[in-house]
Amino acid sequence: MKAEIIAVGSEMLTPFRQDTNSLYLTEKLNEIGVSVHFKTIVGDRQRDLVAAIRIALGRVDILVLMGGLGPTEDDLTREAVAEALSLTLRRDAQQVGALAARAAQWRIPMPSNNLKQADVIEGATILPNVNGSAPGQWLDTTVGKHRKLILLVPGPPNECRPLFDAECIPRLRALLPVRHIAKRTLRAAMIPESQADKLLAPIYTTYKDVETTILAHAGDIQLTLLCAKSNAEAAQARVDELAVRMEEALEDWLYSSGGASSESLEQIVLYYLGLRQSTLAVAESCTGGMIAQRITGVPGSSRSFLGGAVVYSDALKHAFAGVPPELIAQYGAVSAEVAQALAKGIRIRTGATLGLGVTGIAGPGGGSEAKPVGLVYIALSDAQKTEVAERKFRGDRARVREWTAQQALDLIRRRLR
Amino acid sequence: MKAEIIAVGSEMLTPFRQDTNSLYLTEKLNEIGVSVHFKTIVGDRQRDLVAAIRIALGRVDILVLMGGLGPTEDDLTREAVAEALSLTLRRDAQQVGALAARAAQWRIPMPSNNLKQADVIEGATILPNVNGSAPGQWLDTTVGKHRKLILLVPGPPNECRPLFDAECIPRLRALLPVRHIAKRTLRAAMIPESQADKLLAPIYTTYKDVETTILAHAGDIQLTLLCAKSNAEAAQARVDELAVRMEEALEDWLYSSGGASSESLEQIVLYYLGLRQSTLAVAESCTGGMIAQRITGVPGSSRSFLGGAVVYSDALKHAFAGVPPELIAQYGAVSAEVAQALAKGIRIRTGATLGLGVTGIAGPGGGSEAKPVGLVYIALSDAQKTEVAERKFRGDRARVREWTAQQALDLIRRRLR
């Protein structure tokens, strides 16, 4: 079955706002075997919207309209669907009551405009919206000789997504042939994108029945394998077979090959820290807190992560990580020696099992011929040894910092594995 | 003039990838007085693409096609435009030479498929692509009696955007009536969205010739005012007049009312620190490095930001910020007293003019009836005094942390102002 998603709202035609609901809806539709063939964004103009609806009904079986269900003059989706299909709108008495009750509950007067939200397209079913006042609508109709399903869902993500899950997916599933979806997500760190492609393309392209998606960002590669079959075990077997072959190809770049959901690199680092009953502390210069921030973004991270220091000034490198000023004077703040001293110093100061030290030149200023922008040193220290890695990352300040944080977390993972 | 942007590529119909170029293109089009009326996303299917192109040419004057210009079988934009308009494609000899030269320069063999990129639509002008192998194309044609401008631009952002700026905008500008755009961006921190709307809507709705956009995220509100007129001074005067009225209404929530570009809260904090010749150090518990990370994201931040400590464990609260263990035992790690001790302690340890201490419960675990998830204490200390603010933020871990970081930066701004 083919679907189109129409996002309604002039704000999504500005440089400032983007439709993001459609990614969520696409995922849910894909999982029940519906593929999205078109996405359209239309402003709050009824004529444009009517035309877009007619075009969509000419090319897909399922049309999801998102937004334009509120109480304002600009909310025109109900009116446009009715016009496009020459259907009437009737004001639903029960919905009027629900709107009045809602207004009373919030102790706000109900503007007459609000009643628009009780207008229901001829033949449509009302879909309750537990998080907002505008209900969704489900219209199962025919255009020419073709059956068409038209779904109206509210625009705000906290209304759209729960309503879609609770009201739309079960109704669609009941109408569609039973398909079982198997899914696996693999993740790898710091493998060059071109190398990943070279290693993996010859493998996954031979699995025509498994849809493989590769996403890459700042040293992180995420592979999603999706297979839909009428038989659940057969789908799972295909996905697992492909996953095993990819895992082998990715060797130790692979850091997560969990189930359907994906684990982040910081989650894996925390997992290994827990497993080894180890603790971590960090001394960050050029990443300025980014590594600590990623780790502490994971709930429960306090069990293994003690904290650390953002040692932006040379004085703090000394005060918090005990780096001797002479060492900085001799080798410079961005040097293998200082990174090692940071890692060792923060480990000893905090009593952590493992200390991480990071120093580098994030740019745009501060670079020289000998030490260009993008040069970083990342050191890792435990009771046995202190090791340091030198890297040169390209790109702007944000990019150098992101790659450095990713590389640092990956070095910790490799040490703990 | 009305425009439509068609983004071509099946990957943008998956749950994983989103078109972001169109926001950039929309901004540039808006600046020369072109409004975007539709955005469409189509997969790599020639039939779908041809139909979408015909639909677009029936409803807009300017059609921008993004993507599908590469060398693979899936790259079908040139073919689809030619088919939609019944035009031929000719292989351009000069482009073939350029592709061969490019391959030689990179010392890679040129697959014959590559030559597709030298195919030019009848009547189209080639737009050089300095960052990639696929050139853009500019087609000034008529459909029925209507003049239509069709622009083909490559999909990768680093190719699309410079090519659009260098080749498309000047050509469009030459064809369009001269319009001068005046722009102002105002930013405010920690004002509730509903309050901002209540204060501002009565003002900006009376300026029909100024387009006002409001974006809100985690305690940050950004207002963009845009006015286009044939007279540059008249446009600027309208924007400035509205900006002054909004600034008055926003009172001290306003933190930036610069020119056309917008400054972030951390940039403003660093600006004030520089002005007062002050330095800052932070001791972060629940934000785990997020505040330091935001500040150090600004180039040159090392002039005023010394660094700080991520004091996740109680031991580190003592070791790095000198918080007495008895104080933590008596009041708990999440308390006004500990926040103040963190702020004062980090200031004294680092020798900074200003110390910030943050402690709170980011969740999802760790909350209690007395100290629920979302409760945070933020303290600020200088040589004269140490003050603390208590806040309760709603939402998940990420949201609580983001709001806390924003509130902390805003407290620093208010202290320094």
Side-chain angles (χ1 to χ4, degrees), chain B residues 69-72 75 78 94-103 106 108 110-111 113-119 126-136 154 156 158-159 163:
Chain B
L69 297 183
T72 78
D75 291 304
R78 284 173 294 257
Q94 207 177 334
Q95 280 302 310
V96 171
L99 288 167
R102 202 181 152 85
W106 294 91
I108 45 174
M110 187 168 71
N113 225 2
N114 246 10
L115 293 176
K116 276 184 65 153
Q117 297 174 100
D119 289 349
I126 291 169
L127 307 177
N129 177 359
V130 290
N131 294 322
S133 58
N158 70 322
E159 301 179 28
L163 186 146

Side-chain angles (χ1 to χ4, degrees), chain A residues 21-97:
Chain A
N21 281 333
S22 74
L23 299 181
Y24 184 86
L25 301 190
T26 299
E27 186 181 352
K28 298 297 161 181
L29 289 168
N30 289 172
E31 284 176 6
I32 56 168
V34 176
S35 55
V36 175
H37 279 235
F38 297 91
K39 293 204 277 188
T40 305
I41 298 158
V42 191
D44 302 311
R45 284 176 289 262
Q46 188 162 339
R47 203 179 57 156
D48 286 355
L49 188 48
V50 170
I53 291 165
R54 289 190 174 139
I55 289 163
L57 293 174
R59 60 190 182 189
V60 296
D61 316 296
I62 299 171
L63 170 59
V64 182
L65 287 136
M66 214 163 57
L69 297 182
T72 77
E73 283 172 35
D74 283 346
D75 291 304
L76 295 164
T77 303
R78 285 173 294 257
E79 289 81 350
V81 173
E83 184 185 334
L85 292 164
S86 304
L87 296 171
T88 57
L89 284 176
R90 64 174 174 82
R91 188 146 293 178
D92 185 86
Q94 207 178 332
Q95 279 303 309
V96 171

Side-chain angles (χ1 to χ4, degrees), chain A residues 8-9 11 16 39 64 73 75 86 98 134 160 165 179 220 226 246 266 289 308 325 332 338 357 359 365 379 414:
Chain A
V8 186
E11 72 281 7
F16 309 108
K39 293 204 277 188
V64 182
E73 283 172 35
D75 291 304
S86 304
C160 169
D165 287 346
R179 283 160 56 100
D220 203 80
L226 211 66
M246 285 180 145
E266 50 270 31
V338 167
T359 180
R414 286 171 177 266

